[in-house]
Amino acid sequence: MFFPIQTAKDIVKELPDTASGLMHLTMINKKYYYAPSDNTSLIPCKVVHEDDSIESLIHSFQDDSVTILLNENEQPAACITAGHMIAFLFSTYRQLLAFYETVIATTDSSVTVIDAKETVRTWTKGAEKIFSVKQQEIIGKPITDFFDKNKLEILQTLHKGKRITGQYHQPRSDLFVLINTNPVTFNNHIIGAVVSETDVTNQVMLNEKLFNMSNEVRRLEQEVAKYNHSNDPFRFIKGTSAAIQHTIEMARKVCTVKSTVLILGESGVGKEVFARAIHEASEKPNAPFITINCGAIPASLFESELFGYERGAFSGADYKGKKGKIELAKGGTLFLDEIGEMPLEMQVKLLRVLQERKFYRVGGEKEINIDFRVIAATNRDLQELMRQGEFREDLYYRLNVVTLYIPPLRERPGDIIELTHYYLNEFAKSYSRPIHEFTPDVMQAMLHYDWPGNIRELRNMAERLVVFATDGVIRAEYLRFSSAGTDQNTPTLQTVDRVIETNDTIVSLQEEMDQHERRVIERALQIVNGNKLECAKRLGITRATLYNRLKRLGLD
């Protein structure tokens, strides 16, 4: 019974024998009357058109017990009695209830439904499993009889209309869940609330074990590296997902030849890392790897940067002359980063060099023969640039001999954990700041984030987490994109960053870290009303450590 019932005609399709009642109709003074079989009296009929709304049909029974449906020709099409309508509504209710009960019995998730009086109306088997409370014990009773009112997100949804999607929550010390909540609205009023909870305790525990194991694996790798001088240049490319492994396999095949390679991918995915790996795997150990960023050089200087110039070639030129990037790449690789930004006039000259392997310096008359490999990279759509006339078609096909596509981080979320642990270990070692706790909600937030800046953004985020984790504990509030642990009256780290970014004053890193640590401790003390023991517990440090920090920061 889930088809859209919108008009009176839709209900007629579900009602039996509505047409049979037409034989009992009679018209007197252009009004319809229903004549029962005993002919004792005539019952006046309400008239409703087939295209009228359901509400109009139902309201028609308020004063009369029989309603006539007129078709588009204003002729009686059906005769509906109050008995018909009651039977239809009751049948519809029972069908909806059957569907509802089957859905609730089928789901493995924890689903809880409460009414406006905070009484539990639905409690699934999944809820029984997570919270160890039986249906017969809780159904029909206030939910606050079983759980702490301050920890019930469903009450925020009921009383304030708060909606939650995929929020990390820890209702018990040994239980971690992701919750979704929605209010139940009827006639623009909230009459109840629904919460679904997915048990992610196992994932959290596995993540913690993985974090510890990754630290150990990293340590062992460093030990093995002392004795194993691996020459595989692709060892620096992290990730075990099928997407990145496919790209690496393609890149390995390219290393066996010296074909031109075009690397495509968004900003921050590691295009230059792949270019260097291909170069190291296919060239001699001392072969040059020359990089030129086509988007960072003014068009007026591009030719001299690419081809070099003879002495006295133009005003201000070095009197000794200068070798260009192409000449410097002789016997090695020229990496043209952001090739889509290259000026059109330079594209013509580059094409000639690629075809003939010869060029002239600016102001020179001697033709120089060159042998080098070209690897180009871009985050732009070159085919679209060709359609707009901003990129030469002949150069595109000259560069596009072998194409490598590096997938963005959001297309390989399985690599986020490995990359995060790798960079955390790198910065923890660099800053001599060991990380001994990595809260599960941080990883959950990182796994759900889109990472528009890709690996470059993730690496910067890992450095940020290590910088702020002065006590060795990484928390969700240290993330730029997380709102965990903040409220409307407390400035978030994002706000602090904006203040710092708009301030021209540069202070030392230690001073910056002290300022942040002072804000964290002051806020924690305010929350616990100055209770230092509770404050130390909340911050995950000992009371002695807290007193030392207070003294050092001048807060005692």
Side-chain angles (χ1 to χ4, degrees), residues 53-89:
S53 66
I54 300 300
E55 288 78 6
S56 298
L57 178 60
I58 293 175
H59 290 160
S60 68
F61 289 100
Q62 290 181 347
D63 300 320
D64 300 295
S65 60
V66 181
T67 297
I68 306 302
L69 261 63
L70 301 182
N71 59 23
E72 58 185 8
N73 298 320
E74 297 295 321
Q75 298 297 318
C79 179
I80 303 176
T81 66
H84 285 146
M85 201 65 194
I86 292 172
F88 166 76
L89 293 175

Side-chain angles (χ1 to χ4, degrees), residues 218-230 429:
R218 178 64 178 165
R219 186 188 67 79
L220 293 174
E221 283 179 346
Q222 292 173 346
E223 290 296 323
V224 172
K226 297 177 182 178
Y227 308 99
N228 180 23
H229 301 286
S230 174
K429 181 179 179 182

Side-chain angles (χ1 to χ4, degrees), residues 159 239 287 342 406 541:
H159 299 304
M342 179 176 282
I406 305 178
I541 58 178

Side-chain angles (χ1 to χ4, degrees), residues 194-238:
V194 180
V195 60
S196 68
E197 291 155 307
T198 304
D199 187 355
V200 293
T201 305
N202 289 336
Q203 292 94 312
V204 170
M205 296 304 179
L206 286 173
N207 175 65
E208 185 175 346
K209 290 180 181 179
L210 178 60
F211 178 70
N212 295 330
M213 291 177 65
S214 295
N215 287 337
E216 181 63 16
V217 169
R218 178 64 178 165
R219 186 188 67 79
L220 293 174
E221 283 179 346
Q222 292 173 346
E223 290 296 323
V224 172
K226 297 177 182 178
Y227 308 99
N228 180 23
H229 301 286
S230 174
N231 292 322
D232 182 14
F234 290 94
R235 67 187 182 277
F236 299 109
I237 301 175
K238 303 299 177 181

Side-chain angles (χ1 to χ4, degrees), residues 262-263 265-268 271 291-296 302 335-343 375-380 382 385 391 456:
L262 178 61
I263 303 177
E266 297 178 6
S267 178
K271 296 187 287 294
T291 299
I292 181 168
N293 191 317
C294 301
F302 209 104
F335 178 51
L336 298 170
D337 198 10
E338 304 299 343
I339 187 68
E341 309 292 339
M342 179 176 282
I375 300 179
T378 183
N379 60 6
R380 300 188 65 182
L382 294 184
L385 292 178
F391 199 84
R456 183 184 295 119

Side-chain angles (χ1 to χ4, degrees), residues 27 30-33 44-50 52 56-57 60 64 66-71 74 76:
M27 179 177 283
K30 297 183 179 181
K31 292 185 178 181
Y32 287 102
Y33 291 85
C45 302
K46 204 76 170 181
V47 175
V48 174
H49 290 83
E50 286 183 329
D52 287 347
S56 298
L57 178 60
S60 68
D64 300 295
V66 181
T67 297
I68 306 302
L69 261 63
L70 301 182
N71 59 23
E74 297 295 321

Side-chain angles (χ1 to χ4, degrees), residues 28 43 64 116 156 207 244 272 312 367 376-377 427 436 462 474 525:
I28 301 175
I43 301 174
D64 300 295
Q156 296 291 321
N207 175 65
I244 196 65
E272 185 170 351
E367 190 174 53
F427 290 114
H436 58 79
I474 293 178
L525 286 169

